[in-house]
Amino acid sequence: MDKTDERLIAALRHDARASLSDLALQLNLSRTTVRARIERLMQRGDILGFTVTLKEDVLNDPVRGLMMIEIEGRGAARITRQLQGLKQVRAIHSTNGRWDLIVELGTETLEDLDHALARIRLFEGVQASETSLLLSTKKAT
């Protein structure tokens, strides 16, 4: 992926519905070049698809947090399966360092978030956790 591809992807992230003509003008390329680059990025798997973010999607989780979890022994797979079953869990990330998992949570209220955190802390093998509330989002993909 070269600088032009990166600029094209940035433009698509800003407005995935932009026409080929608008993208070509913005990037100082021909429409044919823009179309060919998008097709190549899709064929290579760099672009997996295009999506729509609705206002409703953002409003569904007025309370969001990141929970870092330290797991005792070899229970990561089991705990990950348990986390996948919770409706408050938006994403689960494995990581290195002090924390074994980072879990993105979303709820309607702080009380709901507190209940989810308490439930997760009771999972057998959860040794320690730390949670940070997300106050605002400056950029989302």
Side-chain angles (χ1 to χ4, degrees), residues 20-106:
L20 292 176
S21 297
D22 289 343
L23 291 168
L25 184 63
Q26 181 180 345
L27 300 171
N28 199 25
L29 300 170
S30 70
R31 286 180 73 250
T32 306
T33 300
V34 170
R35 183 180 36 186
R37 283 180 175 266
I38 290 173
E39 287 175 5
R40 183 177 43 99
L41 289 166
M42 290 178 70
Q43 287 173 352
R44 285 191 350 207
D46 292 324
I47 294 177
L48 299 177
F50 299 86
T51 187
V52 174
T53 303
L54 301 175
K55 183 178 180 182
E56 171 184 296
D57 296 336
V58 177
L59 297 177
N60 283 342
D61 293 330
V63 178
R64 297 170 299 138
L66 296 176
M67 182 180 199
M68 286 70 74
I69 301 173
E70 181 182 353
I71 299 171
E72 178 181 54
R74 298 183 180 201
R78 178 179 37 78
I79 290 172
T80 298
R81 282 192 304 276
Q82 289 176 291
L83 289 167
Q84 289 170 335
L86 296 179
K87 69 177 185 173
Q88 300 89 346
V89 173
R90 301 295 175 256
I92 304 166
H93 308 277
S94 60
T95 185
N96 65 336
R98 171 165 164 54
W99 305 109
D100 299 300
L101 297 175
I102 296 178
V103 180
E104 295 179 46
L105 299 161

